[in-house]
């Protein structure tokens, strides 16, 4: 599916934190299969989503990204058996800080993404982009 | 290649070379590579910016080396394909030019940019600028790191004396690596050693194990300990001290062996149904392993159970497998074919035995499909039941057993089949290995089996350096697949041990002693016990052992003082990279 070019910056900018061994290869595969998603989606890979600091997620949101998406290993994490719980706790901590700063919790999303989850990733990005667009003030959309 | 000139500071101490690859047209057809180069050339710290047609070509690699030397570069960024393809290539370029290999950053502008945004050239170009800018930002803050060099000993421990472990031991010895096998049971061979004919070729499992044991007995470079367990491990990868406890009649004996690598091949347990589950506990209802033992021991011409001749059998598939959430959700994948094969054995013993296979789905994959066809030709009847309508097994009033099933393939009629024997086709479950798991710090998945780093790309390695897993301790598999995994672990062990030394990634956690207040929050966050308390400047603080740390970073967010950094992903690098990503402005097409 082709994504309509949007060079005017009207498409929300999304930062994806991926994991080197599991979710980043899934995002690679989305590209290898030419599954298109908005070009305003950018990715940073880390070894494990349990190593993300809540302050990094907040920093991204306060630096200009409209949304942050954590593509975690879920139950496939080779490092930590409780990775999903740890990452969820990091998201909760970040959302608590976001709440204090008036940032809607829905700007931060987490989902497990496997190394062959190409289509789910492209779908997540299109859906998250639409969600973020709906969060914009009406005047900005118009 | 840029022309040598006098070093300039450019307002920063770093001198970074940036190469944006065309990848033929794979990148440049969809990304304005020249616009990216133009946007980056004046970035702080960037003193070389090039856009080669193929960054990975020999010629470009030589140009990079020349640039690094001529321009006194202390950082390198290549924007090209996925790091999975060429990170090692360009790290080697850095090494060849005497540049620290960890001052190199690969930026993925192909799989994660040009190939994903083929209808948005401006967007893909803007994205590339942000990605490369983030890579430069990370490189600007990179520290020179050196791999941790560990001397290795040419020996390996194999935990588990089943078919995968025994074959692995022979493979290790063939490559000049001393092998030590430790087996918890009193005899070698595991499940396969107790089997008669096995699929796909009817070879006797017991005979195959006997053959392996004979080979091992004839070799001086393999030592075997039975009734023995691995009960402790100290030291580091490449030279572990493995503590073995030998259970002997006159008491336990403990000995320590030095090994460079450990291959875990501890196998599986068979699912044991609860009493009443599909009639288990009723006389005449047996599991697949119990049935196989019966068939293997049967004299020619007749199959009997408890002294009674068996004239009819019902096989109930998927018992203990593919259960709803919370149970064993996985498929054990060997049991369909093992059952079909056993039914062919029965047909050869006594062709008059009526055999009914009650199944959800038959997964006799690959050439095992031929066995399925053969069993049908030999007279087996297959009846398919729905997932939510499993068969019921009961004792019939007139004697014998009755299996009631709704057959989806005959107008969903409910049938009650009278049979002499019911075989519950049970799958594999993870073996109880709590002690071993604790000793080796092995990661266990939600299904209870050990987790490899990556099921396809690194299928026998674990995050514990030098510890490999092989066979059914990873997941259900066939004998051939288990042996293949064992030999893969042999190859991986040899790759680690034959050089005499190994290098570990230095991208590990590190504690800032000045910031650490010794709260201990991080201590429980590491399942590998890489963090300990030390005395520093009269205070108790945390310290990370770089040889034990796996580099996951799980301790980083646990520290309330921001005193822990993961090298390569430090707080400063991550923040700078985020700022680099967002800084890109919409771009105009470069004039070429």
């Amino acid at each position: 599916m082709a994504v309509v070019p949007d060079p005017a910056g009207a498409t929300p900018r999304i930062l994806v934190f991926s994991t080197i061994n599991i979710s980043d290869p899934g995002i690679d595969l989305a590209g290898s299969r030419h599954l298109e998603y908005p070009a305003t989606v950018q990715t940073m890979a880390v070894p494990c989503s349990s190593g993300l600091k809540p302050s990094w997620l907040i920093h991204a949101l306060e630096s200009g990204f409209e949304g942050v998406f954590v593509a975690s290993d879920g139950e496939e994490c080779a490092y930590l058996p409780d990775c999903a719980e740890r990452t969820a706790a990091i998201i909760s901590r970040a959302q608590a800080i976001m709440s204090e700063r008036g940032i809607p919790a829905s700007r931060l999303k987490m989902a497990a993404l496997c190394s062959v989850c190409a289509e789910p990733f492209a779908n997540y990005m299109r859906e998250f982009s639409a969600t973020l667009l709906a969060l914009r003030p009406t005047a900005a959309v118009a | 290649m840029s022309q040598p000139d006098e070093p300039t500071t450019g307002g920063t101490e770093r001198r970074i070379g940036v190469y944006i690859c065309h990848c033929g047209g794979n990148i440049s057809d969809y990304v304005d590579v020249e616009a990216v180069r133009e946007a980056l050339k004046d970035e702080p710290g960037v003193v070389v910016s090039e856009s080669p047609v193929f960054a990975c070509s020999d010629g470009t690699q030589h140009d990079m080396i020349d640039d690094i030397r001529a321009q006194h570069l202390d950082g390198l960024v290549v924007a090209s394909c996925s790091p999975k393809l060429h990170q090692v290539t360009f790290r080697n370029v850095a090494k060849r030019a005497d540049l620290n290999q960890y001052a190199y950053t690969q930026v993925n502008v192909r799989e994660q940019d040009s190939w994903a945004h083929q209808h948005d050239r401006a967007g893909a170009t803007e994205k590339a600028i942000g990605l490369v800018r983030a890579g430069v930002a990370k490189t600007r803050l990179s520290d020179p790191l050196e791999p941790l060099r560990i001397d290795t000993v040419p020996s390996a421990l194999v935990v588990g004396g089943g078919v995968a472990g025994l074959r692995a031991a022979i493979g290790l010895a063939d490559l000049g690596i001393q092998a030590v096998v430790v087996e918890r049971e009193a005899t070698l061979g595991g499940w396969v050693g107790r089997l008669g004919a096995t699929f796909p070729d009817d070879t006797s499992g017991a005979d195959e194990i006997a053959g392996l044991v004979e080979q091992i007995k004839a070799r001086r470079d393999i030592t075997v300990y039975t009734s023995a367990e691995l009960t402790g491990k100290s030291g580091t990868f490449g030279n572990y001290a493995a503590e073995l406890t030998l259970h002997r009649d006159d008491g336990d004996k403990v000995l320590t062996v030095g090994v460079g690598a450990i291959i875990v091949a501890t196998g599986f347990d068979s699912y044991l149904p609860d009493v009443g589950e599909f009639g288990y506990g009723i006389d005449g209802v047996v599991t697949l392993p119990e049935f196989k033992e019966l068939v293997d021991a049967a004299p020619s011409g007749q199959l009997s159970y408890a002294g009674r001749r068996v004239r009819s059998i019902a096989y109930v598939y998927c018992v203990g497998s593919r259960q709803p959430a919370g149970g064993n959700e996985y498929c054990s994948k060997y049991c369909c074919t093992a059952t079909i094969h056993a039914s062919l054995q029965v047909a050869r013993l006594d062709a008059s035995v009526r055999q009914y296979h009650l199944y959800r789905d038959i997964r006799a994959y690959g050439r095992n499909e031929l066995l399925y066809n053969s069993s049908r030709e030999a007279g087996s009847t297959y009846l398919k039941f729905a997932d939510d309508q499993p068969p019921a097994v009961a004792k019939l009033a007139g004697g014998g057993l009755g299996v009631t099933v709704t057959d989806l393939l005959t107008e969903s009629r409910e049938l009650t089949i009278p049979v002499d024997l019911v075989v519950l086709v049970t799958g594999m479950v993870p073996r109880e290995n709590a002690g071993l798991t604790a000793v080796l710090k092995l990661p266990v998945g939600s299904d209870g089996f050990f987790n490899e780093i990556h099921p396809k790309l690194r299928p026998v390695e674990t995050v514990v350096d030098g510890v490999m897993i092989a066979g059914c301790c990873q997941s259900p598999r066939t004998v051939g697949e288990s042996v293949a995994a064992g030999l893969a672990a042999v190859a991986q062990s040899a790759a680690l041990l034959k050089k005499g030394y190994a290098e570990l990634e230095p991208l590990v956690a590190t504690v800032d002693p000045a910031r650490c207040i010794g709260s201990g929050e991080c201590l429980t966050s590491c399942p590998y016990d890489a963090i300990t308390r030390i005395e520093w400047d009269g205070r108790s603080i945390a310290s990370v052992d770089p040889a034990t740390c796996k580099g996951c970073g799980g301790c980083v967010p646990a520290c309330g003082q921001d005193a822990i950094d993961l090298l390569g992903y430090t707080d400063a690098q991550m923040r700078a990279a985020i700022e680099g990503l967002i800084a890109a402005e919409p771009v105009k097409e470069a004039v070429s």
Side-chain angles (χ1 to χ4, degrees):
Chain A
M1 178 185 133
V3 173
V4 178
D6 186 17
T11 308
R13 300 191 68 160
I14 297 171
L15 176 57
V16 177
F17 287 100
S18 61
T19 61
I20 291 170
N21 289 319
I22 304 289
S23 62
D24 205 57
I27 299 171
D28 276 358
L29 187 61
S32 298
R33 291 178 55 191
H34 306 301
L35 300 177
E36 298 197 22
Y37 52 89
T40 45
V41 173
Q42 287 168 300
T43 304
M44 281 179 71
V46 294
C48 172
S49 54
S50 293
L52 292 170
K53 280 187 178 182
S55 61
W56 297 342
L57 313 182
I58 305 294
H59 187 58
L61 291 167
E62 293 185 336
S63 297
F65 284 101
E66 284 186 55
V68 170
F69 186 95
V70 176
S72 73
D73 288 349
E75 292 170 351
E76 289 187 53
C77 179
Y79 297 107
L80 303 167
D82 58 345
C83 181
E85 291 80 7
R86 287 184 187 227
T87 308
I90 290 164
I91 299 293
S92 296
R93 282 168 57 194
Q95 286 178 328
I97 300 168
M98 290 163 64
S99 172
E100 289 169 10
R101 300 186 186 184
I103 305 171
S106 49
R107 291 198 190 283
L108 174 58
K109 189 172 170 59
M110 164 194 169
L113 197 78
C114 73
S115 58
V116 292
C117 288
E119 279 190 33
F121 174 73
N123 290 336
Y124 278 137
M125 290 305 102
R126 293 186 204 115
E127 290 164 10
F128 193 34
S129 188
T131 301
L132 294 169
L133 209 52
L135 284 174
R136 284 182 177 174
T138 311
V141 174
Chain B
M1 175 185 157
S2 63
Q3 294 302 308
D5 61 10
E6 288 301 309
T8 55
T9 61
T12 174
E13 294 178 358
R14 298 303 294 256
R15 297 180 60 79
I16 299 170
V18 178
Y19 300 82
I20 301 120
C21 181
H22 285 246
C23 193
N26 280 295
I27 295 170
S28 54
D29 283 354
Y30 312 105
V31 169
D32 185 346
V33 167
E34 288 310 310
V36 180
R37 193 187 68 76
E38 190 68 22
L40 267 295
K41 72 180 173 56
D42 296 324
E43 192 74 3
V46 173
V47 293
V48 173
S49 61
E50 299 286 346
S51 52
V53 176
F54 285 106
C56 58
S57 69
D58 277 352
T60 305
Q61 289 187 41
H62 284 295
D63 288 347
M64 286 181 191
I65 291 168
D66 290 344
D67 286 347
I68 291 167
R69 289 178 175 153
Q71 300 289 344
H72 313 287
L73 301 183
D74 61 6
L76 180 65
V77 175
V78 178
S80 57
C81 51
S82 169
K84 281 89 187 161
L85 285 170
H86 278 309
Q87 178 162 276
V88 172
T89 305
F90 297 116
R91 275 188 177 177
N92 285 333
V93 167
K95 277 160 66 175
R96 279 152 57 201
D98 299 321
L99 173 67
N100 187 277
Q101 60 176 307
Y102 296 97
Y104 164 66
T105 303
Q106 180 144 351
V107 178
N108 184 346
V109 292
R110 193 178 72 175
E111 285 83 350
Q112 295 190 4
D113 191 6
S114 67
W115 280 354
H117 314 301
Q118 295 185 318
H119 297 86
D120 185 3
R121 185 175 173 85
T125 303
E126 183 184 351
K127 176 173 177 173
I129 291 170
L131 290 170
V132 181
R133 195 169 272 157
V136 170
K138 274 190 83 176
T139 306
R140 201 184 293 129
L141 294 166
S142 65
D143 292 313
L145 302 171
E146 292 300 332
L148 302 166
R149 184 176 161 134
I150 309 273
D151 289 336
T152 60
V153 295
S155 65
L157 178 69
V158 179
V159 183
V163 67
L166 295 178
R167 184 65 188 88
I170 294 168
L172 288 165
D174 284 344
L175 291 171
I177 297 170
Q178 290 275 338
V180 178
V181 180
V182 57
E183 166 56 50
R184 189 160 63 179
E185 303 297 326
T187 54
L188 295 171
W191 286 99
V192 175
R194 298 192 286 273
L195 295 175
T198 56
F199 72 87
D201 57 359
D202 277 334
T203 313
S204 158
D207 288 350
E208 281 182 325
I209 292 295
L212 293 173
V213 171
E214 280 307 307
Q215 287 185 57
I216 288 171
K217 279 182 181 170
R219 306 190 68 135
R220 299 178 64 120
D221 41 12
I222 303 175
T223 307
V224 177
Y225 297 102
T226 53
S227 300
E229 294 180 79
L230 174 66
T231 49
K233 174 183 77 83
S234 57
T236 54
F237 159 58
N239 194 0
Y240 285 126
E243 178 194 281
L244 308 183
T245 298
L246 316 183
H247 305 300
R248 299 293 176 256
D249 292 341
D250 55 347
D252 286 352
K253 291 183 168 45
V254 176
L255 67 93
T256 302
V257 294
V259 293
I262 298 173
I263 297 174
V264 176
T266 47
F268 68 99
D269 276 332
S270 183
Y271 178 78
L272 188 65
D274 291 332
V275 172
E277 186 177 353
F278 291 100
Y280 193 60
I282 301 174
D283 186 34
V285 180
V286 298
T287 63
L288 177 58
E290 292 164 350
F291 176 65
K292 183 72 171 105
E293 196 175 331
L294 199 69
V295 174
D296 287 340
S300 178
Q302 188 171 308
L303 179 67
S304 301
Y305 173 77
R308 305 187 297 270
R309 186 167 177 187
V310 175
R311 297 175 186 278
S312 54
I313 305 169
Y315 304 95
V316 180
Y317 283 66
C318 291
V319 173
S321 301
R322 304 169 68 201
Q323 294 174 323
N328 300 324
E329 296 177 51
Y330 54 86
C331 163
S332 280
K333 82 174 185 176
Y334 95 102
C335 21
C336 282
T337 308
T339 304
I340 291 165
H341 180 263
S343 76
L344 282 166
Q345 276 185 278
V346 170
R348 285 198 294 270
L349 277 171
D350 180 355
S352 70
V353 175
R354 296 182 302 282
Q355 302 192 67
Y356 305 95
H357 300 252
L358 281 50
Y359 69 98
R360 287 169 69 182
D361 299 289
I362 291 291
R363 293 178 174 174
Y365 54 94
R367 61 181 175 180
N368 298 325
E369 175 78 7
L370 304 180
L371 290 174
Y372 169 63
N373 292 339
S374 298
S375 80
R376 296 200 310 172
E377 287 162 9
S380 273
T381 302
Y382 284 79
L383 300 98
K384 181 175 172 65
F385 62 86
D387 292 357
D388 58 356
Q389 285 186 299
V393 179
K395 209 165 184 170
L396 294 178
L401 299 163
V403 183
T404 303
V405 61
T406 301
D407 179 21
L408 289 179
L409 303 181
T410 51
E411 300 175 341
S412 294
R413 286 185 194 162
E414 186 177 281
L415 311 167
T416 296
I417 307 166
V419 290
D420 297 330
L421 194 66
V422 173
V423 178
L424 304 183
V425 178
T426 45
M428 296 179 179
V429 293
R431 177 159 281 177
E432 195 288 308
N433 268 326
L436 182 69
T437 305
V439 166
L440 293 179
K441 314 285 185 200
L442 281 173
V444 176
S446 59
D447 57 9
F449 292 96
F450 294 136
N451 263 4
E452 58 284 279
I453 290 181
H454 192 283
K456 290 188 286 293
L457 303 178
R458 300 175 72 178
V460 296
E461 294 169 81
T462 70
V463 291
V464 186
D465 295 304
V467 177
M468 264 66 73
I469 49 178
C472 293
C473 64
Q474 299 180 266
S475 63
R477 53 191 66 194
T478 64
V479 174
E481 291 162 350
S482 292
V483 169
L487 293 175
V490 167
Q492 197 63 35
S493 301
L496 295 171
L497 302 179
K498 292 296 282 183
K499 279 192 299 186
Y501 68 91
E503 291 186 336
L504 298 181
E505 281 277 78
L507 305 178
V508 295
T510 179
V511 177
D512 179 352
R515 282 195 169 193
C516 179
I517 60 169
S519 70
E521 291 169 305
C522 57
L523 295 175
T524 54
S525 70
C526 179
Y528 304 103
D529 296 335
I531 311 176
T532 53
R533 281 185 186 277
I534 60 163
E535 286 299 313
W536 185 84
D537 201 20
R539 297 188 290 122
S540 171
I541 64 163
S543 175
V544 177
D545 175 16
T548 310
C549 176
K550 307 299 165 225
C552 66
C555 55
V556 172
C559 179
Q561 302 298 312
D562 283 337
I564 306 181
D565 259 331
L566 183 64
L567 295 175
Y569 305 88
T570 65
D571 188 72
Q573 284 178 303
M574 293 297 287
R575 287 173 172 275
I578 290 167
E579 289 159 16
L581 286 173
I582 202 73
E585 298 296 327
V587 293
K588 292 176 180 158
E589 194 90 357
V591 177
S592 52

